[in-house]
Amino acid sequence: MTSFDSSPALSLWRLLLALAVVFVLLATTGWTTLRDQRGPAGMRETALASWTHGRIGHRALPDPAAPARTIAAFFRSIGPAQGARLADAHPFVVGNLNGAPLTLRYRANRLSLARALGAERGRIDDPRLSATGRHEALRRVHRFTSLMRQGRQILAFDPTGPGRTAEVLGDLERAQRVSVIVPGVDTNLLTFQKTHRKYSAPAGMAQSLYAAERRAAPRTRTAVIAWADYTAPVGVGIDAAIGRLAAIGSLRLVDMVTALPGGSRVSLFCHSYGSVLCGVAAPRLPARVTDVAVAGSPGMRVESAAELATRARVWAMRDTDDWIGDVPNLHLGGVGHGADPAEPEFGARLLSAAGATGHAGYFEPGTDSLDNFAAIGVGSYRGLTCASADGACLSGISGAEGV
């Protein structure tokens, strides 16, 4: 006799329950996410048009969509002085151009930030602006001012719409190990950093991980990138339930990682919807990506780690009170993100998240989750704490057996 737990009837009920949850989410948070993510693209269009018609001497400027190696070769050919001229004349393009020298990108993004800051300050005094609009402008002024503080290294900056950015901690040019944090829903310019619950925002996550990596391996040259350079879903709505934004963002992630300077090894730390993006990106990741670690994942749009088709080691964790564990794991008609990476059947290496609290606590200092991230980031696998006492997550890793 077939048990009820495995019966077709129960499977159907589970599917119907999962669909009901999704439709409730759509009804309550709604289809407005699509509208909210649109923003004026005039700045971007103007900058790209100016670049397209620009020249260095008699030479045309390269297509911004060209491969990073083509962009890098172009900047090598014109030299530092001409490169600085381009950064000053076309900061929006150069600041977001994979393959351009890092120093030029940092310089260009400071210029773009200064221009965006000036524009927002002008808006604050506009009598046509509503109270809500003025509050939003003030928040953007504060964010841009913070991003411009001395010593901050802004790898990408686009203030249009909800806005995108990426920040580097450490010397990316000389790093032996690079960690990239890929955050989830509600990530934009205004939420890139927070005062309250600091370590739930990308900037705070990066600061926490960078400090933990330096403690774990003081002699290893490390760098951490807080990568919020994609359009993330707003709230738990339709965009969070499908893979459209993850697919678009995955192209940007792969391009960025491929363009990183030097020969550093790279680890990806993907939180929440960021793990959906990392799952979509996985088959196209360059060989320098050695590890993909996901936390609080709703799924990676595959049914097993093997289906990710990546040579990178795949790690997963979820703390005991993370609400994401109650989200149905399904993939039907484009809705849902597939199997739970934190379940043994998925085939990821399961890590402890002891000490982490809730869905956004994985980068809090003093947690197993942060210590595990740091150990992966510096390649110190013997320092990992597996989810199970038998150390199963270390199986097959050279030098880590029996720890």
Side-chain angles (χ1 to χ4, degrees):
M1 184 174 180
T2 304
S3 71
F4 183 67
D5 283 346
S6 60
S7 69
L10 183 59
S11 297
L12 177 60
W13 276 110
R14 284 175 172 162
L15 177 60
L16 291 174
L17 175 61
L19 289 173
V21 170
V22 171
F23 285 123
V24 167
L25 291 174
L26 296 183
T28 55
T29 59
W31 305 83
T32 59
T33 57
L34 295 176
R35 180 197 67 215
D36 291 342
Q37 300 221 16
R38 295 179 187 144
M43 178 179 176
R44 184 185 299 117
E45 292 170 352
T46 300
L48 289 172
S50 176
W51 175 270
T52 299
H53 295 98
R55 293 287 187 275
I56 280 288
H58 298 293
R59 295 181 61 181
L61 304 182
D63 184 347
R69 62 180 179 274
T70 301
I71 301 296
F74 170 79
F75 277 93
R76 284 194 301 270
S77 72
I78 65 174
Q82 296 277 51
R85 283 182 54 198
L86 276 184
D88 293 347
H90 305 279
F92 184 94
V93 175
V94 174
N96 295 287
L97 197 57
N98 288 322
L102 291 175
T103 53
L104 292 185
R105 292 187 68 171
Y106 299 156
R107 173 184 181 135
N109 284 321
R110 285 191 68 82
L111 290 172
S112 289
L113 276 161
R115 292 182 182 181
L117 178 59
E120 292 300 330
R121 282 176 172 160
R123 290 181 66 231
I124 291 173
D125 297 324
D126 189 337
R128 297 169 298 178
L129 206 61
S130 67
T132 301
R134 186 170 291 105
H135 176 68
E136 187 82 356
L138 278 169
R139 291 183 66 197
R140 288 168 72 90
V141 163
H142 293 153
R143 177 62 60 247
F144 299 159
T145 300
S146 177
L147 290 173
M148 288 184 67
R149 285 178 186 157
Q150 191 66 31
R152 298 194 75 167
Q153 302 175 133
I154 306 304
L155 184 66
F157 173 71
D158 182 351
T160 56
R164 301 191 300 252
T165 192
E167 181 179 13
V168 175
L169 301 181
D171 188 343
L172 192 55
E173 200 87 56
R174 298 177 60 250
Q176 297 166 298
R177 310 281 310 201
V178 174
S179 298
V180 181
I181 294 171
V182 184
V185 298
D186 289 330
T187 296
N188 55 52
L189 268 175
L190 294 180
T191 61
F192 182 70
Q193 62 190 58
K194 297 177 182 178
T195 302
H196 178 60
R197 301 180 69 215
K198 172 180 177 179
Y199 303 115
S200 67
M205 292 176 178
Q207 292 166 16
S208 184
L209 180 58
Y210 185 55
E213 289 183 352
R214 297 185 73 181
R215 289 193 299 270
R219 297 183 180 180
T220 301
R221 298 192 303 273
T222 61
V224 176
I225 301 173
W227 190 78
D229 193 24
Y230 82 103
T231 301
V234 176
V236 190
I238 181 62
D239 275 338
I242 63 177
R244 182 180 69 90
L245 294 178
I248 297 170
S250 72
L251 301 177
R252 301 181 65 83
L253 178 64
V254 171
D255 286 348
M256 186 277 292
V257 172
T258 302
L260 289 175
S264 57
R265 295 186 178 185
V266 179
S267 300
L268 305 182
F269 299 95
C270 317
H271 176 243
S272 192
Y273 188 85
S275 68
V276 182
L277 190 158
C278 289
V280 178
R284 301 188 304 279
L285 292 172
R288 70 191 305 177
V289 178
T290 59
D291 299 271
V292 177
V294 303
S297 174
M300 301 180 78
R301 300 195 73 78
V302 293
E303 295 306 310
S304 70
E307 289 182 25
L308 292 171
T310 177
R311 287 177 287 181
R313 286 174 286 266
V314 180
W315 309 84
M317 66 172 72
R318 187 176 67 232
D319 70 62
T320 54
D321 60 354
D322 186 340
W323 59 261
I324 203 74
D326 297 324
V327 173
N329 291 100
L330 78 157
H331 186 64
L332 180 67
V335 177
H337 303 304
D340 182 353
E343 290 296 326
E345 296 77 15
F346 185 81
R349 299 172 181 271
L350 301 183
L351 293 165
S352 170
T357 302
H359 186 59
Y362 294 97
F363 289 85
E364 287 282 346
T367 59
D368 276 5
S369 49
L370 177 64
D371 291 343
N372 279 329
F373 288 159
I376 292 170
V378 300
S380 180
Y381 302 104
R382 292 179 64 89
L384 291 170
T385 303
C386 298
S388 58
D390 60 7
C393 74
L394 302 176
S395 175
I397 299 178
S398 177
E401 293 85 348
V403 177

mmCIF file of all heavy atoms in Angstrom, residues 113 116-117 120-121 124 134-149 152 189-190 193 195:
data_model
loop_
_atom_site.group_PDB
_atom_site.id
_atom_site.type_symbol
_atom_site.label_atom_id
_atom_site.label_comp_id
_atom_site.label_asym_id
_atom_site.label_seq_id
_atom_site.Cartn_x
_atom_site.Cartn_y
_atom_site.Cartn_z
ATOM 1 N N LEU A 113 29.232 60.356 -8.880
ATOM 2 C CA LEU A 113 28.573 60.583 -7.596
ATOM 3 C C LEU A 113 28.428 62.078 -7.314
ATOM 4 O O LEU A 113 27.376 62.531 -6.839
ATOM 5 C CB LEU A 113 29.368 59.912 -6.481
ATOM 6 C CG LEU A 113 29.080 58.436 -6.254
ATOM 7 C CD1 LEU A 113 30.218 57.763 -5.481
ATOM 8 C CD2 LEU A 113 27.758 58.270 -5.499
ATOM 9 N N ALA A 116 25.624 63.380 -9.448
ATOM 10 C CA ALA A 116 24.327 62.915 -8.948
ATOM 11 C C ALA A 116 23.958 63.629 -7.652
ATOM 12 O O ALA A 116 22.799 63.985 -7.428
ATOM 13 C CB ALA A 116 24.373 61.405 -8.737
ATOM 14 N N LEU A 117 24.954 63.866 -6.809
ATOM 15 C CA LEU A 117 24.722 64.577 -5.553
ATOM 16 C C LEU A 117 24.247 66.003 -5.823
ATOM 17 O O LEU A 117 23.288 66.486 -5.202
ATOM 18 C CB LEU A 117 26.009 64.589 -4.734
ATOM 19 C CG LEU A 117 25.979 65.336 -3.401
ATOM 20 C CD1 LEU A 117 24.911 64.757 -2.477
ATOM 21 C CD2 LEU A 117 27.356 65.279 -2.730
ATOM 22 N N GLU A 120 20.585 65.940 -6.970
ATOM 23 C CA GLU A 120 19.626 65.690 -5.897
ATOM 24 C C GLU A 120 19.496 66.896 -4.976
ATOM 25 O O GLU A 120 18.401 67.213 -4.496
ATOM 26 C CB GLU A 120 20.040 64.452 -5.098
ATOM 27 C CG GLU A 120 19.933 63.153 -5.861
ATOM 28 C CD GLU A 120 18.525 62.852 -6.351
ATOM 29 O OE1 GLU A 120 17.552 63.285 -5.690
ATOM 30 O OE2 GLU A 120 18.395 62.185 -7.385
ATOM 31 N N ARG A 121 20.588 67.582 -4.708
ATOM 32 C CA ARG A 121 20.512 68.792 -3.881
ATOM 33 C C ARG A 121 19.640 69.849 -4.552
ATOM 34 O O ARG A 121 18.901 70.579 -3.899
ATOM 35 C CB ARG A 121 21.911 69.331 -3.628
ATOM 36 C CG ARG A 121 22.667 68.563 -2.541
ATOM 37 C CD ARG A 121 24.081 69.055 -2.380
ATOM 38 N NE ARG A 121 24.728 68.447 -1.219
ATOM 39 C CZ ARG A 121 26.035 68.385 -1.045
ATOM 40 N NH1 ARG A 121 26.857 68.903 -1.957
ATOM 41 N NH2 ARG A 121 26.544 67.823 0.034
ATOM 42 N N ILE A 124 15.882 69.009 -4.047
ATOM 43 C CA ILE A 124 15.328 69.230 -2.708
ATOM 44 C C ILE A 124 14.602 70.569 -2.620
ATOM 45 O O ILE A 124 13.569 70.699 -1.959
ATOM 46 C CB ILE A 124 16.454 69.156 -1.646
ATOM 47 C CG1 ILE A 124 16.965 67.725 -1.526
ATOM 48 C CG2 ILE A 124 15.962 69.657 -0.289
ATOM 49 C CD1 ILE A 124 18.186 67.580 -0.644
ATOM 50 N N ARG A 134 10.614 64.851 -1.796
ATOM 51 C CA ARG A 134 11.696 65.567 -1.111
ATOM 52 C C ARG A 134 12.420 64.638 -0.131
ATOM 53 O O ARG A 134 13.645 64.662 -0.022
ATOM 54 C CB ARG A 134 11.138 66.792 -0.389
ATOM 55 C CG ARG A 134 12.226 67.684 0.229
ATOM 56 C CD ARG A 134 11.655 69.005 0.722
ATOM 57 N NE ARG A 134 11.235 69.845 -0.413
ATOM 58 C CZ ARG A 134 9.961 70.035 -0.777
ATOM 59 N NH1 ARG A 134 8.986 69.461 -0.086
ATOM 60 N NH2 ARG A 134 9.661 70.798 -1.803
ATOM 61 N N HIS A 135 11.653 63.805 0.558
ATOM 62 C CA HIS A 135 12.254 62.842 1.485
ATOM 63 C C HIS A 135 13.163 61.867 0.729
ATOM 64 O O HIS A 135 14.268 61.549 1.190
ATOM 65 C CB HIS A 135 11.152 62.081 2.224
ATOM 66 C CG HIS A 135 11.665 61.008 3.129
ATOM 67 N ND1 HIS A 135 12.377 61.275 4.278
ATOM 68 C CD2 HIS A 135 11.580 59.643 3.049
ATOM 69 C CE1 HIS A 135 12.707 60.143 4.873
ATOM 70 N NE2 HIS A 135 12.234 59.132 4.143
ATOM 71 N N GLU A 136 12.686 61.415 -0.424
ATOM 72 C CA GLU A 136 13.488 60.501 -1.247
ATOM 73 C C GLU A 136 14.770 61.181 -1.708
ATOM 74 O O GLU A 136 15.859 60.582 -1.686
ATOM 75 C CB GLU A 136 12.669 60.052 -2.460
ATOM 76 C CG GLU A 136 13.327 58.965 -3.296
ATOM 77 C CD GLU A 136 13.117 57.580 -2.706
ATOM 78 O OE1 GLU A 136 12.522 57.459 -1.609
ATOM 79 O OE2 GLU A 136 13.543 56.621 -3.337
ATOM 80 N N ALA A 137 14.666 62.442 -2.128
ATOM 81 C CA ALA A 137 15.847 63.181 -2.570
ATOM 82 C C ALA A 137 16.851 63.349 -1.429
ATOM 83 O O ALA A 137 18.063 63.234 -1.622
ATOM 84 C CB ALA A 137 15.438 64.546 -3.125
ATOM 85 N N LEU A 138 16.349 63.626 -0.230
ATOM 86 C CA LEU A 138 17.235 63.761 0.939
ATOM 87 C C LEU A 138 17.958 62.451 1.231
ATOM 88 O O LEU A 138 19.162 62.439 1.544
ATOM 89 C CB LEU A 138 16.429 64.184 2.162
ATOM 90 C CG LEU A 138 16.121 65.682 2.271
ATOM 91 C CD1 LEU A 138 15.088 65.934 3.367
ATOM 92 C CD2 LEU A 138 17.403 66.478 2.544
ATOM 93 N N ARG A 139 17.239 61.338 1.115
ATOM 94 C CA ARG A 139 17.875 60.036 1.347
ATOM 95 C C ARG A 139 18.981 59.778 0.324
ATOM 96 O O ARG A 139 20.046 59.258 0.665
ATOM 97 C CB ARG A 139 16.826 58.916 1.273
ATOM 98 C CG ARG A 139 15.827 58.905 2.415
ATOM 99 C CD ARG A 139 14.894 57.722 2.289
ATOM 100 N NE ARG A 139 15.593 56.452 2.461
ATOM 101 C CZ ARG A 139 15.106 55.280 2.094
ATOM 102 N NH1 ARG A 139 13.919 55.209 1.489
ATOM 103 N NH2 ARG A 139 15.792 54.171 2.297
ATOM 104 N N ARG A 140 18.722 60.159 -0.916
ATOM 105 C CA ARG A 140 19.744 59.956 -1.953
ATOM 106 C C ARG A 140 20.943 60.876 -1.714
ATOM 107 O O ARG A 140 22.092 60.475 -1.936
ATOM 108 C CB ARG A 140 19.126 60.180 -3.340
ATOM 109 C CG ARG A 140 18.181 59.048 -3.739
ATOM 110 C CD ARG A 140 17.358 59.390 -4.964
ATOM 111 N NE ARG A 140 18.130 59.400 -6.199
ATOM 112 C CZ ARG A 140 18.304 58.332 -6.973
ATOM 113 N NH1 ARG A 140 17.796 57.155 -6.634
ATOM 114 N NH2 ARG A 140 18.989 58.433 -8.097
ATOM 115 N N VAL A 141 20.697 62.100 -1.255
ATOM 116 C CA VAL A 141 21.809 62.993 -0.912
ATOM 117 C C VAL A 141 22.688 62.351 0.162
ATOM 118 O O VAL A 141 23.923 62.347 0.058
ATOM 119 C CB VAL A 141 21.272 64.360 -0.430
ATOM 120 C CG1 VAL A 141 22.363 65.138 0.307
ATOM 121 C CG2 VAL A 141 20.770 65.171 -1.617
ATOM 122 N N HIS A 142 22.065 61.807 1.178
ATOM 123 C CA HIS A 142 22.833 61.165 2.256
ATOM 124 C C HIS A 142 23.605 59.957 1.734
ATOM 125 O O HIS A 142 24.766 59.747 2.109
ATOM 126 C CB HIS A 142 21.895 60.750 3.390
ATOM 127 C CG HIS A 142 21.285 61.905 4.100
ATOM 128 N ND1 HIS A 142 20.067 61.823 4.749
ATOM 129 C CD2 HIS A 142 21.708 63.183 4.276
ATOM 130 C CE1 HIS A 142 19.776 62.992 5.285
ATOM 131 N NE2 HIS A 142 20.747 63.837 4.999
ATOM 132 N N ARG A 143 22.958 59.164 0.865
ATOM 133 C CA ARG A 143 23.641 57.979 0.340
ATOM 134 C C ARG A 143 24.827 58.359 -0.534
ATOM 135 O O ARG A 143 25.925 57.822 -0.391
ATOM 136 C CB ARG A 143 22.650 57.118 -0.465
ATOM 137 C CG ARG A 143 23.280 55.894 -1.122
ATOM 138 C CD ARG A 143 23.866 54.914 -0.112
ATOM 139 N NE ARG A 143 22.833 54.439 0.776
ATOM 140 C CZ ARG A 143 22.771 54.714 2.072
ATOM 141 N NH1 ARG A 143 23.699 55.463 2.645
ATOM 142 N NH2 ARG A 143 21.802 54.260 2.826
ATOM 143 N N PHE A 144 24.629 59.327 -1.442
ATOM 144 C CA PHE A 144 25.720 59.722 -2.326
ATOM 145 C C PHE A 144 26.867 60.345 -1.540
ATOM 146 O O PHE A 144 28.038 60.106 -1.830
ATOM 147 C CB PHE A 144 25.225 60.700 -3.394
ATOM 148 C CG PHE A 144 24.148 60.142 -4.295
ATOM 149 C CD1 PHE A 144 23.305 60.996 -5.002
ATOM 150 C CD2 PHE A 144 23.958 58.785 -4.432
ATOM 151 C CE1 PHE A 144 22.316 60.497 -5.833
ATOM 152 C CE2 PHE A 144 22.970 58.266 -5.262
ATOM 153 C CZ PHE A 144 22.144 59.132 -5.953
ATOM 154 N N THR A 145 26.529 61.131 -0.529
ATOM 155 C CA THR A 145 27.563 61.745 0.307
ATOM 156 C C THR A 145 28.396 60.668 1.003
ATOM 157 O O THR A 145 29.625 60.752 1.075
ATOM 158 C CB THR A 145 26.924 62.668 1.361
ATOM 159 O OG1 THR A 145 26.181 63.698 0.695
ATOM 160 C CG2 THR A 145 27.980 63.303 2.245
ATOM 161 N N SER A 146 27.725 59.640 1.496
ATOM 162 C CA SER A 146 28.426 58.548 2.169
ATOM 163 C C SER A 146 29.333 57.791 1.194
ATOM 164 O O SER A 146 30.483 57.467 1.520
ATOM 165 C CB SER A 146 27.422 57.589 2.807
ATOM 166 O OG SER A 146 28.082 56.495 3.391
ATOM 167 N N LEU A 147 28.822 57.490 0.012
ATOM 168 C CA LEU A 147 29.619 56.746 -0.970
ATOM 169 C C LEU A 147 30.845 57.528 -1.423
ATOM 170 O O LEU A 147 31.827 56.941 -1.890
ATOM 171 C CB LEU A 147 28.760 56.387 -2.184
ATOM 172 C CG LEU A 147 27.673 55.336 -1.944
ATOM 173 C CD1 LEU A 147 26.783 55.199 -3.180
ATOM 174 C CD2 LEU A 147 28.274 53.985 -1.568
ATOM 175 N N MET A 148 30.804 58.853 -1.272
ATOM 176 C CA MET A 148 31.929 59.690 -1.689
ATOM 177 C C MET A 148 32.978 59.881 -0.593
ATOM 178 O O MET A 148 33.995 60.555 -0.820
ATOM 179 C CB MET A 148 31.422 61.065 -2.137
ATOM 180 C CG MET A 148 30.694 61.057 -3.454
ATOM 181 S SD MET A 148 30.236 62.739 -3.958
ATOM 182 C CE MET A 148 31.860 63.457 -4.258
ATOM 183 N N ARG A 149 32.765 59.302 0.581
ATOM 184 C CA ARG A 149 33.733 59.484 1.654
ATOM 185 C C ARG A 149 35.118 58.995 1.236
ATOM 186 O O ARG A 149 35.259 58.035 0.493
ATOM 187 C CB ARG A 149 33.276 58.749 2.911
ATOM 188 C CG ARG A 149 32.140 59.447 3.630
ATOM 189 C CD ARG A 149 31.689 58.663 4.839
ATOM 190 N NE ARG A 149 30.505 59.264 5.434
ATOM 191 C CZ ARG A 149 29.639 58.618 6.189
ATOM 192 N NH1 ARG A 149 29.833 57.333 6.455
ATOM 193 N NH2 ARG A 149 28.593 59.240 6.695
ATOM 194 N N ARG A 152 36.665 55.250 0.051
ATOM 195 C CA ARG A 152 35.733 54.274 -0.512
ATOM 196 C C ARG A 152 36.039 54.052 -1.982
ATOM 197 O O ARG A 152 36.316 54.994 -2.729
ATOM 198 C CB ARG A 152 34.277 54.725 -0.302
ATOM 199 C CG ARG A 152 33.904 54.850 1.160
ATOM 200 C CD ARG A 152 32.423 54.971 1.384
ATOM 201 N NE ARG A 152 31.724 53.706 1.203
ATOM 202 C CZ ARG A 152 30.465 53.497 1.590
ATOM 203 N NH1 ARG A 152 29.774 54.481 2.164
ATOM 204 N NH2 ARG A 152 29.882 52.322 1.417
ATOM 205 N N LEU A 189 20.282 51.416 -4.354
ATOM 206 C CA LEU A 189 21.213 52.418 -3.828
ATOM 207 C C LEU A 189 20.890 52.827 -2.394
ATOM 208 O O LEU A 189 21.784 53.006 -1.568
ATOM 209 C CB LEU A 189 21.216 53.657 -4.726
ATOM 210 C CG LEU A 189 22.242 53.699 -5.849
ATOM 211 C CD1 LEU A 189 22.021 54.928 -6.721
ATOM 212 C CD2 LEU A 189 23.660 53.682 -5.289
ATOM 213 N N LEU A 190 19.605 52.976 -2.089
ATOM 214 C CA LEU A 190 19.227 53.461 -0.770
ATOM 215 C C LEU A 190 19.381 52.399 0.311
ATOM 216 O O LEU A 190 19.529 52.718 1.483
ATOM 217 C CB LEU A 190 17.793 53.987 -0.789
ATOM 218 C CG LEU A 190 17.565 55.243 -1.637
ATOM 219 C CD1 LEU A 190 16.111 55.673 -1.569
ATOM 220 C CD2 LEU A 190 18.474 56.379 -1.192
ATOM 221 N N GLN A 193 23.535 50.345 2.204
ATOM 222 C CA GLN A 193 24.083 50.320 3.556
ATOM 223 C C GLN A 193 23.027 50.787 4.528
ATOM 224 O O GLN A 193 22.113 51.530 4.162
ATOM 225 C CB GLN A 193 25.337 51.194 3.661
ATOM 226 C CG GLN A 193 25.107 52.665 3.382
ATOM 227 C CD GLN A 193 26.401 53.440 3.273
ATOM 228 O OE1 GLN A 193 27.250 53.118 2.445
ATOM 229 N NE2 GLN A 193 26.568 54.445 4.114
ATOM 230 N N THR A 195 22.259 51.851 8.878
ATOM 231 C CA THR A 195 22.760 52.115 10.218
ATOM 232 C C THR A 195 22.197 51.077 11.182
ATOM 233 O O THR A 195 22.930 50.461 11.955
ATOM 234 C CB THR A 195 22.367 53.523 10.678
ATOM 235 O OG1 THR A 195 22.884 54.478 9.752
ATOM 236 C CG2 THR A 195 22.918 53.818 12.061
#
